Amino acid sequence: MNEDLARALEATTLDEDLLRHYSLTLGRDDNDGSHFYLYHALALTVRDRLVAQWRDTRDTYQQKECRSINYLSLEFLMGRTLNNALLNLDLELPVRKALQSWACDLEAVEQEELDAGLGNGGLGRLAACFLDSCATLQLPVTGYGLRYQYGMFHQRIENGYQVELPDRWLRHGNPWEIECPEATRRIRFFGYSESYRDGNGDIRQRWVDTQDVLAVPYDIPIPGYRNGTVNTLRLWASQATDEFDLTEFNAGSYTDAVAAKNQAEQITMVLYPNDASEQGKSLRLRQQYFLASASLQDVLANWVATAGHDFSNFAARNGFQLNDTHPTVAIAELMRLLMDEYRVGWNEAWVITTSTMAYTNHTLLPEALEKWSVNLFGDMLPRLLEIIHEINARFLSRVADKWPGDQDRQARMSIIEEGDEPRIRMAYLGIVGSHSVNGVAALHTRLLTRGLFRDFYELTPGKFNNKTNGVTPRRWLAHCNPRLSALLDETIGRQWVTNMDQLQGLVDYADDAAFAERFMDIKQANKAALARLVETSCGVGFSTGMIFDVQVKRIHEYKRQLLNVLHVILLYSRLLHNDTAGLHPRCVLFGGKAAPGYAMAKLIIKLINNVATVINRDPRLRDWLRVVFVPDYSVTTMEVICPGTDLSEQISTAGKEASGTGNMKFMMNGAVTIGTLDGANIEIREAVGEDNFFLFGLTAEEIETRRQHYDPEGIIAVDQGLAQVMQLLESGHFNLLESGIFAPLIAAIRNPGDPWMTAADFRSYVDAQQRVDDRFTDRAVWARMSILNTACSGRFSSDRTISEYRDDIWYADKRRD
Ligand code: 26W
């Protein structure tokens, strides 16, 4: 960076810059003290400092000629930016000082920022954590996503039901983004593919008579932790072209023509709020192709600008990580661009594609596996369909070579699923077109290679690998839990922020009474902060002496919020009978959004709220049990929730949760997990030791065996507690004014075909909860477990995960096939 610029941006000029942005950039009176404009002025002040480092980072990467990785994702669940930027740039203290003269505290200013909620849940937040780790590890990784006008909907609860409200997060502008119109790309849709003879007499394909849309990039800086590196998140916005409506202009219908622009600008209007169920909507395919094509054109244009049309080194210098199947159309699009736009032959294009693409799978649920109707796909992307057919034909001949005559296997492995309505299996396209396929936790990867992707594993075992998820310790410990952070700094030094293995040093303090006391005081203060959030958002008082028992995540049957509710009802019933033997008082907190079209998930929310109402209004239970559903769960609310949690609920049916990442955030902040042997829970338990984890439930294998003769009626008949719970539910006790509304939930529990087997794990869950009460009652015992959870959470830093992507996938010398 040039020295004058560097000096100008030092923290000492912060006051002046803040005032300048407030009064000049934003044109406000410097004494009106608006928190809103102060937030904007502060964001611009901080952004100036990021921009300066941004250029340096680009120069450094260019000089080093390193391999650039492009992380393609339909979701980036970023949350707020200001707090994270202040932490990573080490600007918190100077900013606090600068704000003194405005008679305003930083926390109040931070509240002005709306979350960038451009994601549904785990997959989107993982992408955000990964960007933080890549910048911190100084890896040249660019995030590519969509600039949705409307992010994840806001949730309100009315009469216990979820109501969705639009999230117009850009309504006041976004001070963190920089528009780059000079890098606008043109995206084609519809039309048809034709062959023609080019100037050299070669027969080639071209895609003509298309309807085009422009992709305009907006860049957001991603700072590493105090290392001068600033990476980029590039989000594309759709914009109509001008010629788009030429014919209508000429016909004189000016207003109709302008109105028609809407169509094009629809593409990036809204994030699809479906977590784990695929709906086959054509607008969604348009989003996927729009992202894939714009991002690939961007990378190729940059390549051609320096290397010309020589692609021999392209794969050595570029890689793409596909976040689930959502952007896998990129595989066919890269083939098209190389062949049709840059005259590369099929074989060379295929080598380039397969050695640059890598695919991450995030779910085993069949309903989440994307399959696009061949008809719909062929209408919208005719040239890409041709390419996919060709990829498939060549692939199936490889399958035939390996297993001659095995027709079944060919049909099973075909990228095109045959049937009345043939469909493209996007996961298979992802596997065939990539050099690496990974799952997100050890169990998940094993289930992929033994189950869902078994045939592919048998064909190319070297492609498959595991990358257990992680979360960034900057946001999920240093920022969200400043009290604990300070204690860690004092006890083991500050290195842990970028080297989480250092937390192991806390093991020595697990039995140190004085340390435990301080650790627990911090938990107490964080519980008080969480109690304030609960009071403001739900009007229910949480007392910090009680166990804070928390389940926050998307609402889904497989995650079994229902099992948690059944336990709450059991406690309620015991308390009504004055049966308090061995019980410790509890506050049970739920939070999470249901996909708007997912009726069962919405009904689970209603049940939680109705049960909460009955319990919270009963004065006899006041000191024993409180239940809330915190509305509008988000990244920002999690930042208050996880530091104040004692017990982390990770209770999915074994084999269904690919990894989970909330489980890791809770663990870092000293919560103890009650959980099944599912996803990363298994690795969490291994890391912390079985004594410091409340295990229950059937294993993934046992679930599959039990399924064949699952008999919930039999289970209920012999389990008094469960019978009592079902009796209360079925009597209408929680829905006196709304007769019968919970019938579908009751039927699901009693159904021998219940895929989530809630009743099967009930008794084991209740027993584990009893062990929680026993342990919690002894403060020293709980403190020890809690400290050990933080101490052993190092493995779940996304820095560890990203180092593995770097070593095994992005910079592995040997490309796999
Ligand atoms: C096409 C509809 C759709 C939308 C989102 C299908 C599937 C998804 C995602 C795969 C759902 C998701 O977020 N999966 C979660 O990914 C996390 C990060 O790897 C894991 O920790 C969670 O276990 C997994 O459910």
Side-chain angles (χ1 to χ4, degrees):
M1 191 189 312
N2 111 18
E3 277 178 35
D4 292 343
L5 186 58
R7 211 169 312 113
L9 292 175
E10 271 174 15
T12 46
T13 66
L14 219 133
D15 314 48
E16 295 156 34
D17 293 352
L18 187 58
L19 180 60
R20 182 169 49 81
H21 280 305
Y22 195 92
S23 59
L24 296 181
T25 315
L26 303 174
R28 303 293 136 184
D29 273 351
D30 55 4
N31 56 7
D32 68 2
S34 146
H35 286 184
F36 172 73
Y37 288 112
L38 206 44
Y39 159 67
H40 270 259
L42 184 55
L44 294 171
T45 304
V46 173
R47 197 185 80 176
D48 290 344
R49 283 146 180 82
L50 287 166
V51 169
Q53 298 183 8
W54 211 347
R55 267 189 232 113
D56 286 355
T57 302
R58 260 188 303 241
D59 292 348
T60 312
Y61 288 153
Q62 228 149 49
Q63 279 157 21
K64 287 196 180 149
E65 299 196 334
C66 23
R67 189 169 198 243
S68 304
I69 300 299
N70 304 288
Y71 196 86
L72 268 54
S73 177
L74 270 285
E75 303 188 11
F76 285 92
L77 189 40
M78 302 298 284
R80 287 184 177 151
T81 295
L82 177 61
N83 50 44
N84 187 250
L86 293 182
L87 173 72
N88 284 11
L89 298 182
D90 199 11
L91 284 175
E92 187 181 321
L93 284 181
V95 164
R96 281 190 192 282
K97 247 184 72 209
L99 284 175
Q100 276 170 7
S101 58
W102 297 78
C104 164
D105 63 17
L106 177 57
E107 283 66 26
V109 175
E110 284 178 349
Q111 296 305 321
E112 294 292 325
E113 183 173 358
L114 302 177
D115 271 34
L118 309 185
N120 275 283
L123 163 139
R125 183 55 230 176
L126 185 77
C129 284
F130 278 7
L131 292 183
D132 183 75
S133 284
C134 289
T136 296
L137 292 168
Q138 306 192 287
L139 300 176
V141 175
T142 302
Y144 277 106
L146 295 183
R147 184 175 176 272
Y148 301 107
Q149 299 273 341
Y150 292 83
M152 187 62 199
F153 64 80
H154 287 296
Q155 179 192 56
R156 268 211 343 233
I157 301 298
E158 284 177 14
N159 182 32
Y161 290 103
Q162 165 175 298
V163 174
E164 298 97 27
L165 302 171
D167 168 44
R168 262 191 57 208
W169 71 294
L170 291 167
R171 66 176 167 255
H172 306 305
N174 176 6
W176 301 103
E177 67 185 12
I178 292 183
E179 187 184 354
C180 306
E182 71 283 6
T184 297
R185 311 287 165 199
R186 175 178 286 262
I187 315 299
R188 303 199 247 190
F189 293 98
F190 305 105
Y192 58 95
S193 168
E194 65 176 20
S195 26
Y196 70 104
R197 210 173 272 281
D198 70 7
N200 299 338
D202 296 334
I203 296 200
R204 300 177 56 204
Q205 286 305 123
R206 67 184 166 205
W207 185 4
V208 296
D209 203 15
T210 52
Q211 294 175 30
D212 300 354
V213 179
L214 300 179
V216 183
Y218 288 73
D219 287 355
I220 296 172
I222 306 292
Y225 183 76
R226 300 183 189 178
N227 62 5
T229 292
V230 177
N231 284 347
T232 304
L233 169 59
R234 175 161 276 200
L235 300 180
W236 300 101
S238 55
Q239 205 182 75
T241 58
D242 277 337
E243 79 264 23
F244 171 100
D245 28 49
L246 203 67
T247 41
E248 294 206 54
F249 268 129
N250 291 342
S253 47
Y254 172 77
T255 46
D256 288 349
V258 174
K261 279 175 175 287
N262 266 331
Q263 275 274 329
E265 283 160 16
Q266 283 272 332
I267 295 179
T268 56
M269 193 59 72
V270 59
L271 165 78
Y272 274 89
N274 299 315
D275 173 88
S277 93
E278 183 260 319
Q279 318 228 307
K281 289 270 190 332
S282 92
L283 181 59
R284 168 84 176 172
L285 179 58
R286 282 225 259 179
Q287 292 184 335
Q288 298 185 347
Y289 178 67
F290 182 80
L291 169 66
S293 181
S295 311
L296 290 172
Q297 288 187 48
D298 208 39
V299 172
L300 287 172
N302 289 336
W303 178 261
V304 170
T306 55
H309 284 204
D310 176 4
F311 288 92
S312 50
N313 252 330
F314 181 80
R317 295 265 181 278
N318 295 279
F320 300 93
Q321 191 70 40
L322 306 174
N323 202 18
D324 215 281
T325 52
H326 317 159
T328 41
V329 66
I331 289 168
E333 175 67 358
L334 182 54
M335 290 297 288
R336 182 188 76 81
L337 288 167
L338 289 171
M339 295 189 303
D340 298 0
E341 307 285 332
Y342 296 109
R343 308 184 49 100
V344 178
W346 179 281
N347 290 334
E348 194 194 343
W350 186 242
V351 170
I352 292 173
T353 299
T354 51
S355 45
T356 51
M357 296 285 170
Y359 153 58
T360 304
N361 172 282
H362 294 266
T363 182
L364 292 154
L365 300 182
E367 63 269 33
L369 294 177
E370 290 192 301
K371 294 175 185 176
W372 288 110
S373 144
V374 168
N375 282 331
L376 183 148
F377 194 100
D379 276 350
M380 189 185 297
L381 308 168
R383 176 64 183 131
L384 281 98
L385 182 60
E386 279 178 3
I387 291 171
I388 291 174
H389 277 309
E390 180 68 23
I391 293 173
N392 195 37
R394 290 173 185 239
F395 171 67
L396 289 181
S397 89
R398 260 187 81 189
V399 173
D401 284 349
K402 166 100 181 179
W403 293 288
D406 192 342
Q407 298 289 318
D408 276 358
R409 194 158 325 222
Q410 292 210 25
R412 281 204 311 265
M413 295 180 77
S414 173
I415 295 172
I416 310 289
E417 176 187 80
E418 298 299 343
D420 292 347
E421 160 94 274
R423 295 188 297 174
I424 308 171
R425 295 157 162 158
M426 299 307 278
Y428 293 5
L429 178 62
I431 300 171
V432 173
S434 302
H435 62 87
S436 164
V437 178
N438 75 282
V440 291
L443 172 69
H444 173 229
T445 302
R446 203 172 330 123
L447 292 172
L448 284 179
T449 55
R450 307 279 149 85
L452 203 55
F453 297 158
R454 186 186 191 115
D455 291 319
F456 295 87
Y457 180 65
E458 288 175 3
L459 184 65
T460 50
K463 269 190 193 184
F464 291 83
N465 62 97
N466 176 246
K467 295 287 165 283
T468 298
N469 284 166
V471 301
T472 171
R474 269 72 63 188
R475 184 177 295 264
W476 297 115
L477 188 51
H479 159 67
C480 75
N481 200 340
R483 297 180 184 93
L484 182 54
S485 292
L487 178 63
L488 297 177
D489 294 354
E490 186 190 317
T491 314
I492 55 170
R494 180 88 184 159
Q495 300 301 307
W496 62 270
V497 180
T498 49
N499 180 4
M500 284 282 279
D501 294 333
Q502 299 273 323
L503 290 180
Q504 277 293 334
L506 285 184
V507 172
D508 297 341
Y509 294 84
D511 295 304
D512 176 328
F515 179 83
E517 203 52 42
R518 293 180 69 191
F519 192 92
M520 292 304 273
D521 284 349
I522 287 167
K523 181 59 84 179
Q524 208 63 20
N526 291 334
K527 287 171 76 171
L530 174 51
R532 284 193 293 277
L533 175 96
V534 168
E535 177 74 57
T536 12
S537 60
C538 312
V540 175
F542 266 22
S543 148
T544 57
M546 294 163 80
I547 303 174
F548 280 20
D549 170 351
V550 176
Q551 186 173 20
V552 286
K553 47 182 81 247
R554 286 301 287 257
I555 311 296
H556 201 294
E557 289 163 282
Y558 85 79
K559 295 178 188 281
R560 294 199 299 195
Q561 282 91 356
L562 190 53
L563 178 60
N564 191 343
V565 184
L566 297 183
H567 173 245
V568 169
I569 297 174
L570 179 69
L571 290 178
Y572 169 71
S573 148
R574 285 185 56 185
L575 290 168
L576 288 185
H577 293 93
N578 280 319
D579 172 15
T580 57
L583 287 192
H584 194 285
R586 270 184 201 245
C587 297
V588 184
L589 187 157
F590 292 86
K593 292 171 186 175
Y598 189 174
M600 283 296 257
K602 291 181 129 176
L603 198 53
I604 291 170
I605 294 179
K606 172 66 173 166
L607 176 63
I608 295 170
N609 280 303
N610 280 23
V611 169
T613 305
V614 169
I615 290 174
N616 297 337
R617 73 164 172 234
D618 190 331
R620 294 168 297 176
L621 310 177
R622 175 168 298 271
D623 297 332
W624 284 101
L625 187 59
R626 320 246 81 189
V627 183
V628 294
F629 185 93
V630 174
D632 205 32
Y633 174 61
S634 65
V635 170
T636 292
T637 51
M638 183 57 159
E639 290 169 10
V640 182
I641 293 170
C642 69
T645 295
D646 294 311
L647 184 66
S648 155
E649 298 270 354
Q650 308 300 336
I651 61 178
S652 52
T653 308
K656 301 300 174 191
E657 188 69 272
S659 160
T661 44
N663 47 3
M664 302 169 183
K665 296 165 198 167
F666 285 116
M667 181 196 195
M668 276 180 194
N669 285 278
V672 186
T673 306
I674 181 165
T676 48
L677 286 177
D678 202 12
N681 293 352
I682 297 174
E683 291 157 76
I684 287 177
R685 178 166 171 269
E686 270 165 22
V688 73
E690 55 185 57
D691 292 344
N692 304 302
F693 184 107
F694 297 101
L695 178 68
F696 75 94
L698 299 174
T699 63
E701 265 194 346
E702 288 165 347
I703 286 277
E704 292 319 313
T705 325
R706 269 299 264 306
R707 214 181 269 298
Q708 280 119 56
H709 45 90
Y710 179 48
D711 173 23
E713 296 292 353
I715 296 173
I716 296 166
V718 300
D719 187 321
Q720 262 190 38
L722 185 52
Q724 178 74 44
V725 168
M726 294 306 289
Q727 200 276 321
L728 268 173
L729 256 180
E730 287 164 345
S731 72
H733 186 73
F734 301 107
N735 51 311
L736 291 176
L737 302 174
E738 298 160 297
S739 166
I741 56 169
F742 296 128
L745 295 177
I746 294 163
I749 300 168
R750 291 193 176 275
N751 174 10
D754 172 17
W756 323 115
M757 298 174 71
T758 306
D761 279 345
F762 178 80
R763 184 44 50 187
S764 160
Y765 180 55
V766 169
D767 291 347
Q769 291 286 17
Q770 185 57 60
R771 297 199 297 278
V772 170
D773 284 353
D774 298 344
R775 298 285 200 97
F776 196 84
T777 306
D778 186 332
R779 189 172 155 96
V781 166
W782 191 269
R784 185 171 193 282
M785 294 179 79
S786 181
I787 293 167
L788 287 173
N789 267 274
T790 299
C792 301
S793 66
R795 185 177 150 63
F796 305 103
S797 162
S798 45
D799 297 347
R800 188 269 312 148
T801 312
I802 288 298
S803 311
E804 293 177 8
Y805 276 87
R806 176 193 63 200
D807 297 344
D808 302 346
I809 303 178
W810 298 340
Y811 304 103
D813 292 336
K814 205 170 125 268
R815 306 251 70 85
R816 296 184 185 86
D817 186 22

